[in-house]
Amino acid sequence: MKPCLNRTIAAAGLAAVLFSGAWLPASAADPEWHTSSSLIGTSKYGEDFKHYDYVNPDAPKGGTLNSTTSGTFDSFNPYIVQGNAAAGFASFGGGLLYDTLMEQATDEGSVSHPLVAEAYKYPEDFSSATYRLDPRARWHDGKPITVDDVIWSFNALKTHSPLYNKYYANVTEAVKTGDREVTFHFDQKGNRELPKIMGDLVVLPKHWWEGTDASGKKRDISRPTQEPPLGSAAYKISSFKPGSEIVWERVPDYWAAQLPVKVGRENFDKRRYTYFLDDNAAWQAFAKGGFQDIRPESSARRWATEYNFPAVKAGDVIKAEFATTSGQPMQAYVMNTRRPQFQDPRVRKAITMAFDFETMNRNIFFDAYKRTDSYFEGGELASSGIPQGKELEILEAYRDKLPPELFTQEFKLPVSDTPQAARENLRTALQLFKEAGWVNRGGKLVSEKTGEQFRIEFLGNDPIDERVATPFIDSLRRLGIDATLRIIDEGQYINRTRSFDFDMLALSSFAQSQSPGNEQRDFFSSKAADTPGSRNFAGIKDPVVDALVERVIFATDRDDLLAATHALDRVLLWNYYMVPQWHLGKVRLGYWNKFGIPEKQPSYVGVDIDSWWIDKDKEAALAAKYKGVN
């Protein structure tokens, strides 16, 4: 498993989309203003929300959180395809710099609370959404955040960000409908999620982006920049060394510091990110101390065998696991079906049959992981058994376009728990290849028509990818496939994945929400397959998938959503677009013992680092004992 902490929390963040009153109708005559919202049910905090129940509201501010990251950066604009954005920025959401209209909850699925917007409302037919801005909302230069900022941000993001373009595909316009009110109009009715996920909109400063820099040059939101932008959130850029380090500092007069979602959080005065070549180098820096205070651990081998250096033995570095209830991402080897060798589903199934998870889990991962077998792993959204009830009704409309076994067999991934089972799976794979026109001649799997050998180049961006890809490559080579792995730097990897220039990704992760909706277009739609920068890495272009994605988005209630999601999950699985990997269900952290930590952490995301704070006594003790640790 290779999720970083930010990716894990981001998964839960994207999952927390908005909807007030679950699936209850609003009044047609006078829509009600909503504050905290939920797509599943009402928030546990109700209207008397003071702060998250797990935080220390009196947590002290101060100190520096040191972090590491891999690769490099050349831009402070994360919302465009060009450039590599610096750590602390986010392509979805505001990152450390910008606030969104509402903030996704850390401790409840599909819940959001007020931030830039203090409330929102929507009509009974869900044809629009109106957000009312908090009059206290300010940019770091003291100017108020206005409706004009929101409208400008919406237009800029839809134009330049592939992610937001897909997320808000059905939003036709944003218009000013009051001094502090902005209304978003939709081109379709009945999309119950859309009024609420407008709260995920990041708000950018129109006056700054339309202004000029120190040299008098007009700024351009469509281009990368290394000029620190004006923001509105709890942090701003303090300093940076191009490509190697960026330091953020807490804004002492942050306008939202006393809002319920912020009380007891964002306690570090500074957040420093140091760039390293790869994760191995970052690990060495963590063990030495001073560069990385908290390490999200992605390596089961390292977690089991290498947390034995002196600081761990002395109790100065702590190992901790935090269970999550937010569901698990689909982490997978991703086949690029834009490549001709992957267009036959029998080939994709054959490649799936060749993956021996059980041996890898035992030999490499210390039996730490479970096999992922759903695009919506870890909850009621995952399909199971054979289709029944409303799910079956949905799928019946596409019966002639789906594999017949989808209706009669439970989807199961191959199991290689014995040497005999592993050999049988490879024999099945060879038979599937033969049916698809590929035969083994002289130890090479070649096309019956052209004699060309079947080739797969796995693409990775981290040395750990070699460990997770090599056993699979060995199995594919036993079938006669010319399988190789190429590890490239982060910048190259971003550019190649954005342009879909790869055969197969060694590892990719697709975070899902507990209320899936518009983001499914970016994952799986035909339009996204042709859009550089989308997350449809597999190149899925299937009218049935397109229809089911829309069925999910326009579900009429929770039961309808579950049935539609089960149907989508099942169709994706039976088409074998990806080879599912594994999941843990926990966040693993190693951290230097310099923090104050609330007694409990939010079970939904597992851990909220923003609720931690620097314990000055602990920090001083470490600094005295280990040179450079602070």
Side-chain angles (χ1 to χ4, degrees):
M1 187 175 186
K2 197 181 111 181
C4 68
L5 179 62
N6 289 340
R7 189 185 298 177
T8 303
I9 293 177
L14 185 57
V17 289
L18 313 178
F19 189 17
S20 176
W23 302 94
L24 302 178
S27 167
D30 186 16
E32 178 185 354
W33 286 104
H34 302 276
T35 53
S36 294
S37 57
S38 172
L39 272 163
I40 298 175
T42 56
S43 171
K44 65 182 181 180
Y45 293 107
E47 295 299 318
D48 193 32
F49 181 29
K50 296 292 193 299
H51 56 75
Y52 288 123
D53 60 14
Y54 64 87
V55 304
N56 172 8
D58 300 315
K61 308 290 186 182
T64 297
L65 176 64
N66 298 295
S67 302
T68 63
T69 189
S70 299
T72 186
F73 71 90
D74 59 10
S75 177
F76 296 148
N77 183 0
Y79 304 114
I80 58 175
V81 173
Q82 299 88 1
N84 300 323
F89 288 93
S91 60
F92 184 88
L96 296 179
L97 186 64
Y98 304 113
D99 284 330
T100 49
L101 286 175
M102 298 183 83
E103 180 158 294
Q104 300 161 348
T106 58
D107 61 348
E108 296 180 279
S110 298
V111 171
S112 289
H113 300 293
L115 192 52
V116 171
E118 63 182 9
Y120 82 110
K121 63 182 179 180
Y122 53 93
E124 187 175 18
D125 62 1
F126 304 96
S127 60
S128 66
T130 300
Y131 279 78
R132 187 177 68 213
L133 304 191
D134 190 321
R136 298 168 294 180
R138 291 288 185 274
W139 298 107
H140 292 159
D141 63 3
K143 293 182 178 180
I145 298 176
T146 67
V147 168
D148 287 343
D149 289 319
V150 177
I151 294 172
W152 185 88
S153 301
F154 168 76
N155 291 328
L157 291 167
K158 274 208 71 175
T159 301
H160 302 296
S161 165
L163 196 158
Y164 278 98
N165 182 272
K166 297 294 181 301
Y167 201 49
Y168 295 141
N170 292 113
V171 188
T172 57
E173 63 176 350
V175 296
K176 186 173 183 177
T177 51
D179 287 343
R180 293 190 288 116
E181 294 180 14
V182 56
T183 297
F184 302 95
H185 292 287
F186 312 142
D187 63 7
Q188 292 175 305
K189 299 177 182 179
N191 185 337
R192 295 172 177 267
E193 180 193 41
L194 195 49
K196 302 65 176 178
I197 65 171
M198 294 312 305
D200 294 332
L201 181 69
V202 61
V203 185
L204 306 174
K206 176 185 177 182
H207 68 284
W208 190 87
W209 280 104
E210 289 190 339
T212 57
D213 62 19
S215 67
K217 182 179 179 182
K218 193 176 188 309
R219 300 183 180 102
D220 185 354
I221 188 66
S222 70
R223 302 293 302 168
T225 181
Q226 286 197 13
E227 179 189 11
L230 176 70
S232 61
Y235 290 89
K236 63 181 180 180
I237 296 174
S238 172
S239 64
F240 66 96
K241 298 175 183 176
S244 62
E245 180 188 84
I246 182 168
V247 179
W248 296 80
E249 63 180 354
R250 188 171 58 83
V251 177
D253 57 351
Y254 173 42
W255 75 270
Q258 297 307 311
L259 289 185
V261 292
K262 300 298 184 181
V263 172
R265 303 179 68 235
E266 297 172 331
N267 302 313
F268 307 113
D269 273 356
K270 289 189 176 182
R271 301 185 68 153
R272 174 182 288 109
Y273 294 89
T274 304
Y275 280 76
F276 285 84
L277 179 64
D278 54 43
D279 186 64
N280 284 331
W283 161 252
Q284 296 298 326
F286 170 69
K288 179 181 178 182
F291 290 99
Q292 186 178 28
D293 298 325
I294 305 172
R295 177 181 172 82
E297 188 50 71
S298 60
S299 169
R301 174 189 57 80
R302 184 174 289 142
W303 188 252
T305 66
E306 295 187 29
Y307 277 77
N308 56 7
F309 51 92
V312 175
K313 294 178 179 179
D316 296 322
V317 168
I318 308 296
K319 288 176 63 178
E321 294 183 331
F322 302 85
T324 66
T325 60
S326 59
Q328 302 303 312
M330 165 59 87
Q331 184 174 289
Y333 305 98
V334 181
M335 289 171 269
N336 185 358
T337 61
R338 302 170 186 84
R339 298 283 204 256
Q341 67 265 40
F342 299 120
Q343 290 175 1
D344 191 318
R346 293 170 295 186
V347 166
R348 300 196 297 269
K349 182 177 180 180
I351 291 170
T352 302
M353 296 298 299
F355 177 52
D356 181 352
F357 164 73
E358 287 72 26
T359 300
M360 181 182 289
N361 194 33
R362 182 175 61 252
N363 293 343
I364 298 178
F365 300 144
F366 297 83
D367 280 324
Y369 298 122
K370 296 179 180 178
R371 185 77 189 271
T372 298
D373 59 2
S374 170
Y375 284 78
F376 303 88
E377 184 72 42
E380 62 180 355
L381 294 167
S383 61
S384 62
I386 60 175
Q388 298 179 3
K390 184 176 286 189
E391 181 195 355
L392 180 58
E393 291 177 18
I394 294 171
L395 291 170
E396 282 289 359
Y398 313 104
R399 182 180 279 270
D400 61 341
K401 299 179 179 66
L402 296 171
E405 56 268 32
L406 178 149
F407 292 92
T408 60
Q409 299 177 25
E410 181 178 4
F411 180 84
K412 290 187 177 181
L413 291 166
V415 176
S416 300
D417 52 354
T418 66
Q420 294 82 1
R423 288 193 294 270
E424 183 59 35
N425 288 334
L426 290 179
R427 282 194 289 268
T428 301
L430 281 173
Q431 180 60 35
L432 287 165
F433 273 119
K434 184 176 181 181
E435 294 172 8
W438 297 86
V439 295
N440 194 296
R441 292 176 181 166
K444 294 182 178 181
L445 189 70
V446 300
S447 168
E448 284 187 305
K449 292 182 179 179
T450 67
E452 182 180 356
Q453 187 176 10
F454 197 104
R455 290 183 172 85
I456 302 174
E457 181 186 77
F458 286 75
L459 188 67
N461 65 336
D462 193 291
I464 199 171
D465 291 333
E466 184 173 2
R467 298 187 68 245
V468 303
T470 297
F472 192 17
I473 287 172
D474 290 343
S475 292
L476 294 171
R477 286 174 175 171
R478 283 196 285 273
L479 295 173
I481 295 173
D482 179 13
T484 58
L485 170 67
R486 176 175 292 187
I487 302 293
I488 57 179
D489 66 46
E490 183 72 14
Q492 290 178 302
Y493 185 83
I494 290 172
N495 290 332
R496 288 188 61 174
T497 53
R498 282 174 175 168
S499 60
F500 311 124
D501 181 18
F502 60 88
D503 291 342
M504 197 162 178
L505 297 180
L507 189 155
S508 193
S509 184
F510 301 82
Q512 292 287 2
S513 79
Q514 294 302 299
S515 296
N518 287 32
E519 73 285 346
Q520 304 305 306
R521 290 175 176 144
D522 197 46
F523 287 148
F524 307 125
S525 75
S526 297
K527 185 176 180 180
D530 295 327
T531 305
S534 84
R535 291 173 291 176
N536 189 349
F537 299 129
I540 300 169
K541 298 184 75 172
D542 183 340
V544 176
V545 172
D546 288 339
L548 291 175
V549 164
E550 296 304 301
R551 188 70 172 74
V552 168
I553 292 171
F554 290 94
T556 57
D557 55 32
R558 183 67 182 178
D559 287 342
D560 195 43
L561 176 66
L562 292 176
T565 305
H566 293 164
L568 175 61
D569 186 32
R570 198 179 302 275
V571 170
L572 292 170
L573 289 170
W574 278 100
N575 275 290
Y576 294 95
Y577 294 114
M578 306 178 189
V579 181
Q581 294 179 343
W582 46 83
H583 62 273
L584 180 64
K586 300 176 183 177
V587 178
R588 291 182 298 213
L589 295 183
Y591 61 90
W592 284 85
N593 190 17
K594 59 183 280 187
F595 299 101
I597 304 174
E599 253 183 62
K600 65 175 182 175
Q601 286 288 280
S603 61
Y604 183 68
V605 297
V607 61
D608 176 19
I609 299 301
D610 279 333
S611 70
W612 296 20
W613 64 91
I614 300 295
D615 184 311
K616 292 183 178 180
D617 291 338
K618 290 182 179 179
E619 184 178 59
L622 286 177
K625 191 172 182 180
Y626 302 93
K627 184 179 179 181
V629 176
N630 53 53

